[in-house]
Amino acid sequence: MANKENLSTPFIYLRSTGEKIPVTKEQHDAFYKEASRIRDKEQNHGRCVCPYRYIWKCDGDCIDCEYHRAGDTLSLDVPTEDGSNDLYNTVSDTAPTMEDVIADRILLEQLFAKLRELDPDADLIIELLGNGLSDRKIAEALGRKQRTFADQMKKYRTELRKIRGY
């Protein structure tokens, strides 16, 4: 009978000390709800490989867990696919240089200036294009016929390509 009482009493298992701490049902449920959320997130990213039979041991503290892995997160401690473990070089190889960003910004400003020369409603057109509207919707907003606006935009795009160089 004493064994049945011990099984029905909710507890929290602390993996670090191996203790089973008696708690109320509400405390138990709240603790393991958060631990499950953390474990699910870690499993989705391939960082938790805890076997199902030991899930009751999971307390959501992944740092010292024997079943915690690197997963899809780059780390300075874990070698990358090319064998290096230098996170800076891995990320910086794909990042644009500051010069590229500045050159793109200058080009964009030149394109906007040319569009403003070609059409007095350029600022509105730029804003509507930035909002993802189609040429038809932009033509409606400007009060122009769709075909006329499409022909104008074709001409504008040809002019803007000259600035870009292709």
Side-chain angles (χ1 to χ4, degrees):
M1 190 87 165
N3 287 340
K4 285 187 179 182
E5 283 180 24
N6 288 340
L7 291 176
S8 65
T9 304
F11 65 88
I12 293 175
Y13 178 78
L14 293 181
R15 186 177 31 83
S16 59
T17 63
E19 287 182 83
K20 293 181 181 179
I21 301 173
V23 293
T24 66
K25 179 160 177 31
E26 292 79 23
Q27 291 170 325
H28 174 272
D29 292 347
F31 180 85
Y32 282 107
K33 181 180 180 182
E34 180 64 12
S36 292
R37 184 193 66 76
I38 293 168
R39 184 181 57 254
D40 289 345
K41 181 182 85 169
E42 294 298 301
Q43 286 174 339
N44 287 338
H45 290 282
R47 295 185 291 253
C48 177
V49 292
C50 183
Y52 184 75
R53 67 181 180 265
Y54 295 125
I55 274 190
W56 65 273
K57 286 183 166 184
C58 182
D59 58 4
D61 181 17
C62 299
I63 293 175
D64 294 324
C65 181
E66 63 186 297
Y67 301 111
H68 195 258
R69 303 291 179 265
D72 62 3
T73 303
L74 286 176
S75 168
L76 295 175
D77 300 326
V78 179
T80 57
E81 290 176 8
D82 65 357
S84 72
N85 63 352
D86 188 355
L87 179 62
Y88 175 77
N89 287 335
T90 304
V91 173
S92 66
D93 288 345
T94 60
T97 65
M98 185 56 75
E99 291 80 16
D100 291 340
V101 172
I102 292 170
D104 287 347
R105 179 64 185 191
I106 291 170
L107 176 61
L108 186 61
E109 288 299 325
Q110 290 173 340
L111 293 171
F112 286 167
K114 183 65 175 181
L115 184 58
R116 286 183 186 101
E117 287 176 22
L118 297 171
D119 195 313
D121 294 323
D123 288 322
L124 182 56
I125 293 170
I126 292 167
E127 179 182 340
L128 296 174
L129 283 170
N131 290 337
L133 292 177
S134 66
D135 283 356
R136 173 174 284 142
K137 294 287 185 188
I138 295 172
E140 288 174 13
L142 295 173
R144 300 180 190 173
K145 292 182 180 178
Q146 192 269 331
R147 187 70 236 161
T148 303
F149 180 73
D151 290 341
Q152 289 171 335
M153 286 305 294
K154 184 176 178 182
K155 182 178 94 176
Y156 298 161
R157 289 181 176 117
T158 302
E159 289 294 316
L160 296 175
R161 281 190 191 97
K162 290 178 186 176
I163 292 173
R164 281 183 104 178
Y166 53 90

